Structure formats: C-alpha cells, structure tokens
Amino acid sequence: MSGTTRVIYYIIVAALFGNIIFTVMSQINMKGGLTDSVTAVTGWYSQVEFLSNVLLSLVSIYCCIIYRRSFPRIITMCYLILLLLVAIGSFSAIGYFTKTPSFFYSPKGLGTWINFGLLYFTAEEEYTAKLIKLFRVLVYAFIIFNLGQLAMLGTISNRDDALNAIRDTTVYLIWVYPFFFLDGSDKTNWAKIIKYCILLLVAFFVFAIASRSYLLYIAIFFLIKLKRDLKEAKNAILIVVMSGMLLLAGYFAVANLSRLNTVKGLLNVFAGRIDDDTRSSQLKEFLDQYNYDKLFTGVGPTGTWNWSIYPKGGYEWLDNQYMLLTWWFGLQTCLVYILFLLYPLFRKNSTRSIEISNAKILIFLWILACGGFAIYVTFSTKLFYYFITLLIGIATLNVRRKTLLSFEPAHTVRPRRN
C-alpha cells in the first residue's frame, strides 16, 4: 500500500465527514416541504459540503486515471460519456454555474457526475473495507440521532413534522443499513436478534415519514434475510420466538394505542397517505408540457415546468429520474446511465461473494427507485449515493486480491472471469 493511496483514503474520509456534518446540520435546520432549489447555501455547513465535494471530485478524477484498468471498459466508457454529455448539455447554463457555484454539485451539476468516479477507489480493497465500516458506524449514529429527534418532537400531528426531523437521515438508513443487515456477520442468535431489531427501528422511521415504497423495501429485505436464515435449521426456532415476541409487541401497541400519542399520530398521518397519488398526475402534467423536439438535445439544467401543486411556478424536478435526466440532457444520456446501472447486475459473481450479491440487490432497488418506485432519491452528492457508487465499484471490480470484509492473504490473486 503506497503512501499516495493512504493520502487519498484520508482525503475521502475527510470529505465524507464534511458531508456528514452537512447532513446532520441541514436535517436539524430543515424547514417545510417543497423548496425552490436544493442548491441554495443555507449556512456554514453548506460551504463545508461544497469543499468536501470538490475534494471528492479531485479524488474521482485521480482514481479514474490510476485504477480504470481494474474495471471493465464498459464502466469507464459509460462514466466518460456521461461526463461528456452532461458537460455539453450544461454549456448553455455556464453563466448560472458562475453565479451559483453550489449548483455544480446539484443533481444536474457536472460535479455530481464527476464524483461517480469514487467507484474506482474500490480497487484498493483494504481501504474500501475501512470506508464501508465508516458507513456502518454512521448507521448506528443516525439511528441514535433519529430517536433523539423524534423524542424532542413529541406528538406528531402531520407528515411535515417527521420529515423535518428525520427525512434525510432515514433515507440514508434505508439505502445503507440493508447491506449490513444481509451480510453473514451474525453468527450468534443474539447477533441475529439485534439485526432484526435494527431493521424494525429503520421500519419505524420509514413509517414516521409515511413512505409506502420504503416500507415495501423493508419487507423485501426482511424476506431475503428470512429466506437465508431459514436455510439453517438452528435458526428456525429463533425465528419462531422472534415472531411470537413481535406479535406480543403488536398486541400491546394496539391495546394501548390511546396512550401512545406519538404512534397514534403516526398512524393517522400514514392512513392519510394510503390512497394519496400525486405522482401519476405529476407525470401527466409534465408530459402535457414536454417538448419532444428536445428529446435528444435536452432543455439544459435550468429548465423548469409548471406543476399545479407548486404555487410558485417554475418547478425543476420530477418523481422519475430517467424522465428527468432525458429532459435535462437528452435521451442518450438517460440510456447510458441505465447501462451504467444495469451492467453490475449482469456481471458474474464468480467469487460467490455475499457482499457482491448484496450490492447487486441494492443497485437493483435503486434502478426501481429512479423509475419512481421510491421518493427522495436522485443522482446526488448525498452520503447514501456515495455508498451506492462504492457498491457499483464493488460489483464490477475485475481483479480481487481479497474479499471485502474478510481479507485473504495479500499474495493471493484471483482474476475474475468475464
């Protein structure tokens, strides 16, 4: 391990800590629902995030140059073509980038796309394992943070209360914790019980922000884990006991619902969301205004459209990231991004690594989420997206000297078959 690699690792860690600070501070200071722009600088922590993302851009470019031969050519081609297409599509907005530098790291900013290059650092597997452990520690930190936020909030009377308290940290948990939930580290009964309890906590946070799609994701993760655990007969008794405990806990909650004001408030909020469907009407309004002459050229990153629910006019976003990407930068950009995501799924897992299998599961669900199957997701410089970027690198790395979490001797080299 060279000294340069160690320096790059520490730069990445420092940059991630900057993003952690931004995530926590912006969550504490979060106000209201729809915002004018995600690029607005709202405090000193926004400047910390911007500098952190600049560092990650430099690291991404360096890692692409140094480690690109450790990855399939198709990944590097997709990465470079995406940068080229986004740069061309952003040319008309160069003045806006100059006036608002933070726009460079918005979902439609070139810097965000440059930072996908962080995936190349996974060629350094030992350091990647350390980064993954950092994301794991952050899971527990955000769980404690969410519990504290909800405790201070007290009774929840509407959805915005929960969103302003725990939205961003909960989105991080739903995309990061399942990777660890599905791993094979739980060798004892207590370890399995703790894992299932943590997933239930994450499910509670998802319930608090009234996200139906993420509750379905939780159910998918639960069933995958349950199927794996039931392959071993010794786990069957444990699962029966845990099921009994859950039934008792559910009975207690229902019997004492009138005393549990927070839970009662959450149930009322969630019940109001059961038949709420703004996405279909949003897409219909958007397509009614879509200019198909711009199908390949795109409208650029400053494009807006009129959504009846958004009273201020000039709405920038859409709950379908593929359509949004096509609208901004053209259909060809969207197709390259889809290929960039699909390739890891079809890449053969010749080492039969459970970490690679879990990475593929999360990438597959991300593909669905970008198609409108989940909320609060887009291409971004948020912590959870950097984690997904690393998962793409883990799933596509050509040559492995060691497994991700349990290292083999350094002299052992196992080339990956294509």
Side-chain angles (χ1 to χ4, degrees):
M1 295 174 285
S2 67
T4 302
T5 303
R6 188 176 292 107
V7 170
I8 293 297
Y9 166 74
Y10 285 125
I11 291 174
I12 293 174
V13 170
L16 291 177
F17 269 109
N19 276 273
I20 291 170
I21 292 171
F22 173 79
T23 301
V24 172
M25 294 304 300
S26 60
Q27 182 65 79
I28 291 173
N29 294 295
M30 184 176 290
K31 304 289 183 184
L34 295 172
T35 57
D36 291 330
S37 174
V38 297
T39 62
V41 176
T42 55
W44 60 268
Y45 47 89
S46 296
Q47 299 174 17
V48 171
E49 185 212 24
F50 180 80
L51 292 175
S52 298
N53 288 326
V54 170
L55 289 176
L56 289 175
S57 291
L58 297 175
V59 166
S60 295
I61 294 170
Y62 172 83
C63 289
C64 178
I65 295 171
I66 299 300
Y67 301 117
R68 69 185 186 280
R69 296 185 186 278
S70 296
F71 294 84
R73 290 183 179 178
I74 190 170
I75 288 294
T76 299
M77 287 177 61
C78 287
Y79 174 63
L80 295 177
I81 291 172
L82 281 172
L83 294 186
L84 178 63
L85 292 174
V86 172
I88 293 173
S90 301
F91 187 77
S92 60
I94 191 169
Y96 194 85
F97 282 104
T98 304
K99 295 177 182 178
T100 313
S102 56
F103 189 76
F104 193 67
Y105 290 107
S106 73
K108 42 193 167 180
L110 181 60
T112 298
W113 298 84
I114 290 174
N115 288 7
F116 290 178
L118 186 62
L119 72 89
Y120 290 102
F121 188 72
T122 56
E124 294 288 350
E125 294 171 88
E126 184 171 349
Y127 284 113
T128 300
K130 293 180 180 180
L131 289 178
I132 294 299
K133 288 177 182 177
L134 173 61
F135 280 99
R136 185 172 197 157
V137 171
L138 193 56
V139 164
Y140 305 132
F142 278 171
I143 287 174
I144 295 172
F145 174 85
N146 278 10
L147 290 173
Q149 287 283 90
L150 291 178
M152 290 188 293
L153 193 61
T155 302
I156 297 175
S157 58
N158 60 73
R159 190 185 183 202
D160 283 344
D161 290 342
L163 291 175
N164 293 338
I166 61 170
R167 188 192 72 183
D168 287 352
T169 45
T170 297
V171 172
Y172 173 89
L173 291 173
I174 194 67
W175 286 110
V176 177
Y177 178 65
F179 182 77
F180 306 109
F181 175 69
L182 297 175
D183 69 20
S185 62
D186 49 338
K187 303 300 183 183
T188 66
N189 288 342
W190 277 113
K192 293 184 185 299
I193 291 173
I194 290 172
K195 274 193 173 185
Y196 280 102
C197 288
I198 291 176
L199 186 69
L200 288 176
L201 270 178
V202 176
F204 175 71
F205 299 145
V206 170
F207 179 69
I209 64 174
S211 173
R212 296 159 295 180
S213 55
Y214 282 147
L215 280 178
L216 181 57
Y217 276 23
I218 291 288
I220 292 172
F221 297 136
F222 180 85
L223 291 174
I224 293 173
K225 175 68 172 171
L226 192 63
K227 180 181 178 182
R228 291 179 179 178
D229 285 344
L230 286 176
K231 288 182 179 180
E232 298 182 33
K234 65 179 183 179
N235 294 328
I237 297 177
L238 174 65
I239 291 171
V240 170
V241 172
M242 286 195 300
S243 300
M245 293 173 63
L246 286 175
L247 289 174
L248 288 174
Y251 173 78
F252 175 81
V254 172
N256 296 274
L257 186 60
S258 59
R259 301 179 184 178
L260 302 174
N261 293 329
T262 299
V263 176
K264 186 177 181 180
L266 291 176
L267 281 171
N268 291 334
V269 172
F270 191 83
R273 285 270 297 163
I274 293 296
D275 58 351
D276 185 21
D277 180 20
T278 60
R279 191 162 299 163
S280 298
S281 60
Q282 184 197 56
L283 292 177
K284 184 179 184 302
E285 286 188 53
F286 174 80
L287 290 174
D288 287 343
Q289 301 174 43
Y290 187 78
N291 181 2
Y292 289 91
D293 292 337
K294 299 285 187 178
L295 183 62
F296 292 99
T297 60
V299 299
T302 58
T304 60
W305 63 284
N306 296 317
W307 188 22
S308 58
I309 293 179
Y310 191 67
K312 298 180 181 180
Y315 194 62
E316 303 175 63
W317 313 106
L318 191 66
D319 288 336
N320 185 303
Q321 303 311 301
Y322 304 124
M323 294 178 65
L324 196 60
L325 188 56
T326 300
W327 181 49
W328 286 337
F329 303 119
L331 178 62
Q332 65 280 2
T333 310
C334 178
L335 293 177
V336 174
Y337 181 68
I338 291 174
L339 177 60
F340 181 71
L341 294 178
L342 284 177
Y343 181 80
L345 298 184
F346 295 99
R347 179 78 170 169
K348 186 177 179 181
N349 182 5
S350 58
T351 61
R352 297 183 179 180
S353 165
I354 191 172
E355 286 82 19
I356 295 176
S357 297
N358 294 341
K360 288 185 175 186
I361 290 171
L362 284 168
I363 293 170
F364 173 72
L365 292 177
W366 174 258
I367 291 172
L368 295 182
C370 286
F373 198 67
I375 55 177
Y376 311 124
V377 295
T378 187
F379 350 95
S380 70
T381 54
K382 293 183 180 294
L383 285 167
F384 75 86
Y385 196 75
Y386 283 134
F387 185 77
I388 293 174
T389 301
L390 290 175
L391 295 186
I392 293 174
I394 289 168
T396 56
L397 181 60
N398 271 333
V399 179
R400 302 179 191 279
R401 294 184 297 275
K402 47 188 82 70
T403 58
L404 181 62
L405 297 178
S406 55
F407 299 125
E408 299 174 0
H411 65 272
T412 303
V413 179
R414 293 190 300 180
R416 186 167 187 167
R417 296 177 182 176
N418 292 320

